[in-house]
Amino acid sequence: MYLEIPRKFGAIVHQAQQVARSVFRPISRKYDLAEHAYPQELDMFAAIMDGMNDGAADGGAGAGKLARSGGKPSEGNVNGTNMKTVLGLTELCWGDVGLALSIPRQGLGNSAIAAVASEAQLARLGNTWAAMAITEPGAGSDSAAIRTTATLDGDHYVINGEKIYVTAGERANAVVVWATLDRSKGRAAIKSFVVEKGTPGMAVVRLEKKLGIRASDTAAIRFDNCRVPKENLLGDPEISVDKGFAGAMQTFDNTRPVVAGMAIGLARAALEKTRELLAPVGLEPDYQLQTWQQPAVIRELQLLEAELEAARLLTLRAAWMADNGQPNSKEASMAKAKAGRVGNAITLRCVELCGSLGYGETELLEKWARDSKILDIFEGTQQIQLLIIARRLLGKSSSELK
Amino acid sequence: MTRDPIGLALSLMNRVAGQAWLDRLGLRPVVEKTAYQGTRAGFRTLALAGREFRRVNEWLPKQRLPAKAPADLFNLTLDEDQQMIVDSLHRFARDTLRPAAAAADEAATIPAGLFAAAAELGLTLYAVPEAFGGVAETASPVTSVLIAEQLAWGDMGLASALLAPFSVAQAITRWGSGEQQSRYLPAFCEESPPLATIAIDEPTPLFDPLKPATSATVTGSGYCLNGFKSGVVLGAESDLILVAAELHGRPRLFLVETAGTDGIRVKPDPAMGLRAAKLARLEFKDLRLPADALLGGDDFDYQAMLDLGTLLRCGLAIGSAQAVLDYVIPYCNEREAFGEPISHRQSVAFMISDLAIETDSMRLLTWRAAARAETGQSFHREACLAHLLCSEKAVAAGSHGVQLLGGHGFVREHPVERWYRDLRSVATLYGGVHA
Ligand SMILES: Cc1cc2nc3c(=O)[nH]c(=O)nc-3n(C[C@H](O)[C@H](O)[C@H](O)COP(=O)(O)OP(=O)(O)OC[C@H]3O[C@@H](n4cnc5c(N)ncnc54)[C@H](O)[C@@H]3O)c2cc1C
């Protein structure tokens, strides 16, 4: 048993930290204020990131590498792509969550493609920047209730419907769209389709103005008789009982720890900044067993740090399990639930502890407290994670425990 | 890691059927009705026909167990020996501790034969280096935490009693001089090891273990001890007590043998929970101690001693919280209200999810701190974080447990009310433990 981050990941953590510090932080406030402006600074950085991943001997890290590693039982103990991606994203989000979500070719759609694409599709689509479009105005948490349809017409599928809240939906080169082949057949008929930018019939109709992560574009996209080649359906085109949908849902087992990692990076930033602001006042962290004799703020910081550390270790566990081919649905949701809520609570508390300094725009604390909320919502809300965990623990189906 | 004698002892135990084990050791939940009316009884002189520890003339040089080498990779897998210890102790907890727990709590006593069972398990051997008759080759706080988790899953009160002598052996191994180790450690490897405990807590609000009011002054022949200790596990039963006291303005530990000493008075100090651990108050009044009663020398580190204790305390918390979780799952699936199992309601189900999340949070924080300690890395910060998290979450786990059973959780028919009481101790006691 050993719970330290392996030395071999020191380089990637260091690199990501440099990017967060030197690329993201200096432009963090700029793009928070200039919502919907494209952060050009990221293009150059994305090229570096591509180079890092392509050159990595152990398969690299990032959204497009995630899921492939899961599933196969490994020999011996592996610290692999999942852990590395979590660690990388944690550091990047220490810099800025919105910008991290805007890194070209690191979209959630890339994870979906990596998870279910055939070899041929991977060769064709693997290097694109793909956003993910599941959510609709009438269906969010209940993703099986989507209404967007895909109808086979010759060599093409014709897609009709409306998707909302598509992260990087405007900037990405493609969107992975969930649509149903036959609404009467339930979740088994839900398939994902890659729709490339510029395909006639697909239009970005709106960019949302948001509470936080304003550097990340969140698009509403309409599909009006949008024709995509048959080969763009990811995975198996047959409507088999639930298998395809379950497969798609499994992608979340790999992406949830990454989102948890994002919350951890962000919360760590807030804690570090709070300590930095408190130091000149003579309040420095002082780890004690009897905490009730300490100044309230010192005890609170120790507690927040403990909560953050718990979230971090739960997240590393989930990623480690994925790296080692162990089923990790429950643990991935535990990590996401814990990190989502403590990340949010920590950033909000740090604003409070720093008073008007925390609340004002001079520091980034108030921004982090706005950014953190989304991490407890997307990729499954807090409640959805608790539901998944409870169903696993109690052995309940979704019809029993709704 | 090679299989060591304790491993063998434990694997042997696997083959002993639970029932036979119970009978053989007299662990049936019939406990003598000893009076334990603590608060009414006053202090009495601690006059045990206790064990005498012989001074040895030719003592061995002091032994320090080496740290393990840090691993290259993050790894949550238990090694073969750890897994075997966990499996064996889980059976022991399930077949022996759990069935005896309710009666032990009720009568505030330890079932006859329990310490014999622990001795047979070789618990204390694991804390003692080979040179003194034990089996320990390296420092192993992780294994200690795993042991505490499993025992406390059975019952935290009984686990506390079993772990107090283990903890004393750990502390002497970790901090003792060669002379002290030679005098005390072999006894812990005998067929019936001594009872022993660590007395740190004092009857004062906001007690800080770094600042004991109990004090030691230097006399011509050694030391003179004055002060009070409270919540001392096995306080009236122990042959040997490690007592925290201030010496020259700094906290230290003193080895106090209880046989034939005057200057110690004791009375029961029954508490909200951990009743089977027979908590006691001790009063030291001009207790004369020899010069070699001061534990350790230059390498003694009081804070590290407390931190190692914390790890074991957290292990107790995790085990008990896990017991709550394992109990409420089947209960909430079986209990029906409004025409369906209560577990079909989210406000019930989500409480269970939270229990699971926080129990694993406690576990991972504690494991990390222990793994750092085991590999010779700094672990004070990690131990403090684990302690604070466990303090907060343990008490919540106890509360969730009772709430999930409703009125049935409030009555003694179910163990959750006991766990509620026991789990409150995590944030309140510092003594009796050392990993
Ligand atoms: C900035 C941003 C970026 C996003 N990016 C993407 C993206 O890239 N791709 C994408 O597809 N989606 C994306 N989303 C959508 C996001 O995943 C959904 O908003 C989220 O899953 C919740 O769905 P909803 O908003 O419809 O809320 P609802 O499902 O309407 O939920 C409302 C509330 O009810 C609770 N609730 C719902 N069902 C249950 C239940 N069974 N039990 C208990 N409580 C329940 C929820 O927890 C929540 O608190 C994004 C959203 C935002 C705001």
Side-chain angles (χ1 to χ4, degrees):
Chain A
M1 186 195 296
Y2 196 65
L3 284 76
E4 304 303 309
I5 292 167
R7 196 166 305 148
K8 68 169 181 172
F9 291 153
I12 194 172
V13 168
H14 178 73
Q15 239 160 357
Q17 174 62 215
Q18 293 304 307
V19 170
R21 196 181 291 276
S22 319
V23 183
F24 287 7
R25 280 283 178 92
I27 59 172
S28 197
R29 181 61 79 183
K30 175 176 162 191
Y31 289 102
D32 179 54
L33 296 172
E35 190 166 19
H36 301 161
Y38 181 69
Q40 270 140 0
E41 291 89 342
L42 295 187
D43 286 343
M44 163 209 67
F45 157 66
I48 303 174
M49 184 110 174
D50 289 345
M52 255 156 63
N53 285 335
D54 292 345
D58 54 357
K65 312 278 180 184
L66 271 184
R68 291 267 152 174
S69 61
K72 55 167 196 302
S74 50
E75 269 178 47
N77 176 38
V78 177
N79 288 184
T81 308
N82 285 279
M83 185 177 291
K84 195 166 157 184
T85 305
V86 163
L87 293 173
L89 258 300
T90 300
E91 292 310 314
L92 292 176
C93 290
W94 177 92
D96 191 289
V97 175
L99 292 169
L101 286 168
S102 305
I103 303 172
R105 291 174 291 285
Q106 297 297 324
L108 285 171
N110 292 91
S111 302
I113 292 173
V116 279
S118 66
E119 289 303 324
Q121 287 171 326
L122 208 57
R124 196 155 55 86
L125 304 164
N127 282 326
T128 190
W129 176 8
M132 187 83 202
I134 303 171
T135 308
E136 297 178 3
S141 299
D142 185 7
S143 49
I146 55 166
R147 298 166 150 264
T148 299
T149 55
T151 319
L152 189 60
D153 180 23
D155 286 342
H156 286 75
Y157 284 103
V158 182
I159 298 179
N160 277 291
E162 185 185 355
K163 294 291 178 183
I164 59 168
Y165 302 160
V166 184
T167 296
E170 190 193 36
R171 296 171 189 167
N173 309 112
V175 177
V176 175
V177 180
W178 281 26
T180 171
L181 295 176
D182 183 347
R183 285 200 59 204
S184 69
K185 298 234 167 80
R187 57 186 68 203
I190 295 174
K191 301 289 168 189
S192 46
F193 303 83
V194 179
V195 184
E196 287 176 90
K197 197 172 189 169
T199 308
M202 169 169 105
V204 171
V205 292
R206 185 176 71 241
L207 294 179
E208 306 294 347
K209 292 183 175 174
K210 306 189 297 291
L211 171 65
I213 59 161
R214 292 181 183 156
S216 161
D217 63 317
T218 306
I221 305 179
R222 278 203 66 81
F223 297 90
D224 277 314
N225 290 320
C226 177
R227 297 177 71 84
V228 300
K230 238 169 67 173
E231 305 77 58
N232 282 22
L233 183 152
L234 295 173
D236 184 358
E238 294 306 314
I239 302 180
S240 55
V241 203
D242 259 14
K243 228 177 76 192
F245 190 75
M249 294 303 276
Q250 264 169 25
T251 320
F252 288 126
D253 299 345
N254 295 304
T255 54
R256 280 178 179 146
V258 178
V259 177
M262 298 172 78
I264 290 157
L266 174 60
R268 199 185 83 214
L271 264 184
E272 286 176 6
K273 174 53 82 178
T274 303
R275 275 195 216 114
E276 190 186 309
L277 294 174
L278 283 167
V281 197
L283 290 164
E284 305 235 24
D286 175 21
Y287 300 101
Q288 299 272 323
L289 293 174
Q290 171 52 281
T291 52
W292 289 116
Q293 300 238 29
Q294 299 179 308
V297 61
I298 296 302
R299 180 181 200 271
E300 182 68 7
L301 286 175
Q302 190 172 322
L303 183 57
L304 296 181
E305 194 175 340
E307 295 279 19
L308 181 61
E309 184 67 3
R312 193 182 72 87
L313 291 168
L314 286 169
T315 303
L316 287 175
R317 174 178 72 169
W320 174 80
M321 289 175 77
D323 278 340
N324 286 281
Q326 299 176 18
N328 73 338
S329 253
K330 184 180 72 185
E331 290 78 9
S333 285
M334 289 169 86
K336 171 74 166 66
K338 181 75 177 171
R341 69 195 189 198
V342 308
N344 187 228
I346 289 172
T347 53
L348 281 168
R349 181 69 89 214
C350 286
V351 167
E352 182 183 354
L353 296 178
C354 295
S356 65
L357 205 53
Y359 199 61
E361 286 189 3
T362 312
E363 296 293 342
L364 288 167
L365 285 163
E366 65 81 27
K367 175 185 180 296
W368 293 333
R370 289 183 285 112
D371 289 351
S372 68
K373 192 66 204 168
I374 192 59
L375 300 169
D376 206 17
I377 294 173
F378 66 16
E379 291 293 287
T381 62
Q382 176 71 211
Q383 289 75 12
I384 295 304
Q385 309 305 334
L386 294 181
L387 206 49
I388 293 168
I389 298 161
R391 282 183 192 144
R392 297 253 164 195
L393 288 168
L394 293 158
K396 295 291 176 186
S397 67
S398 53
S399 60
E400 293 167 317
L401 179 51
K402 292 195 273 291
Chain B
M1 216 175 115
T2 51
R3 171 139 326 165
D4 52 30
I6 188 183
L8 292 175
L10 288 166
S11 69
L12 259 181
M13 218 201 101
N14 281 343
R15 281 176 238 132
V16 181
Q19 286 307 92
W21 185 240
L22 278 177
D23 288 332
R24 193 154 57 84
L25 295 162
L27 285 172
R28 293 240 154 246
V30 284
V31 273
E32 78 266 40
K33 288 268 172 209
T34 47
Y36 188 59
Q37 317 133 323
T39 36
R40 271 191 289 128
F43 276 110
R44 62 181 167 78
T45 313
L46 182 58
L48 278 173
R51 176 192 302 249
E52 309 240 3
F53 298 90
R54 266 183 302 111
R55 275 199 169 59
V56 273
N57 293 328
E58 308 252 313
W59 64 75
L60 292 171
K62 82 177 169 207
Q63 307 270 312
R64 290 288 182 261
L65 294 171
K68 289 181 183 162
D72 290 331
L73 297 178
F74 181 97
N75 192 357
L76 287 168
T77 321
L78 306 188
D79 68 32
E80 217 183 301
D81 280 350
Q82 288 168 338
Q83 191 60 53
M84 194 177 57
I85 288 169
V86 164
D87 292 345
S88 312
L89 289 185
H90 190 74
R91 285 192 197 90
F92 177 70
R94 185 192 61 202
D95 299 337
T96 305
L97 299 183
R98 188 68 71 82
D105 173 66
E106 183 89 37
T109 188
I110 300 150
L114 188 69
F115 287 109
E120 201 149 326
L121 280 166
L123 262 191
T124 43
L125 292 183
Y126 207 57
V128 177
E130 279 178 312
F132 298 111
V135 299
E137 287 168 357
T138 58
S140 51
V142 172
T143 306
S144 300
V145 168
L146 295 173
I147 288 172
E149 258 183 75
Q150 291 310 321
L151 294 177
W153 185 88
D155 183 67
M156 202 200 275
L158 294 172
S160 301
L162 290 177
L163 288 173
F166 170 85
S167 295
V168 168
Q170 290 279 12
I172 296 174
T173 296
R174 178 76 198 236
W175 308 111
S177 66
E179 193 277 330
Q180 290 163 341
Q181 293 184 328
S182 302
R183 176 153 32 127
Y184 296 109
L185 290 181
F188 285 96
C189 305
E190 287 169 13
E191 218 175 285
S192 58
L195 293 186
T197 192
I198 306 177
I200 292 179
D201 300 281
E202 296 180 354
T204 167
L206 297 180
F207 174 70
D208 185 349
L210 287 171
K211 296 171 192 146
T214 300
S215 67
T217 48
V218 180
T219 64
S221 60
Y223 304 96
C224 176
L225 209 62
N226 278 291
F228 290 94
K229 292 290 168 186
S230 48
V232 182
V233 173
L234 301 180
E237 279 76 16
S238 291
D239 306 299
L240 178 66
I241 307 179
L242 291 182
V243 181
E246 187 193 67
L247 175 69
H248 302 311
R250 294 172 56 187
R252 295 295 302 245
L253 281 185
F254 291 86
L255 290 150
V256 176
E257 296 179 23
T258 55
T261 32
D262 15 280
I264 311 179
R265 296 198 310 150
V266 63
K267 71 172 181 181
D269 191 19
M272 179 178 180
L274 301 185
R275 298 178 69 83
K278 309 200 81 167
L279 304 183
R281 275 200 192 201
L282 301 174
E283 183 192 8
F284 304 104
K285 201 152 187 267
D286 296 328
L287 172 66
R288 303 279 158 177
L289 295 172
D292 55 12
L294 180 65
L295 180 69
D298 292 344
D299 69 346
F300 180 76
D301 180 342
Y302 186 82
Q303 180 68 63
M305 186 279 298
L306 288 179
D307 291 343
L308 286 163
T310 285
L311 298 182
L312 209 67
R313 172 91 48 217
C314 292
L316 292 170
I318 299 161
S320 188
Q322 184 69 46
V324 173
L325 179 62
D326 293 344
Y327 196 82
V328 297
I329 287 173
Y331 184 88
C332 294
N333 274 338
E334 279 154 34
R335 177 73 181 172
E336 297 205 348
F338 302 97
E340 60 180 341
I342 55 172
S343 63
H344 288 190
R345 308 285 168 161
Q346 287 193 352
S347 54
V348 168
F350 286 8
M351 234 189 217
I352 295 175
S353 302
D354 281 335
L355 253 175
I357 291 172
E358 302 306 356
T359 304
D360 278 354
S361 291
M362 295 196 274
R363 180 173 283 129
L364 291 172
L365 238 63
T366 305
W367 283 8
R368 175 165 186 238
R372 288 183 65 90
E374 183 160 289
T375 50
Q377 303 177 65
S378 65
F379 69 102
H380 172 63
R381 168 184 172 267
E382 288 74 15
C384 288
L385 295 183
H387 182 255
L388 185 52
L389 193 88
C390 289
S391 297
E392 299 277 316
K393 307 302 179 189
V395 76
S399 182
H400 276 18
V402 172
Q403 193 71 29
L404 284 165
L405 268 73
H408 297 268
F410 199 73
V411 299
R412 291 231 182 157
E413 187 189 340
H414 293 281
V416 288
E417 67 83 25
R418 186 173 75 247
W419 295 336
Y420 175 98
R421 292 183 283 114
D422 289 344
L423 281 161
R424 181 65 279 185
S425 70
V426 174
T428 49
L429 297 180
Y430 294 94
V433 282
H434 192 290

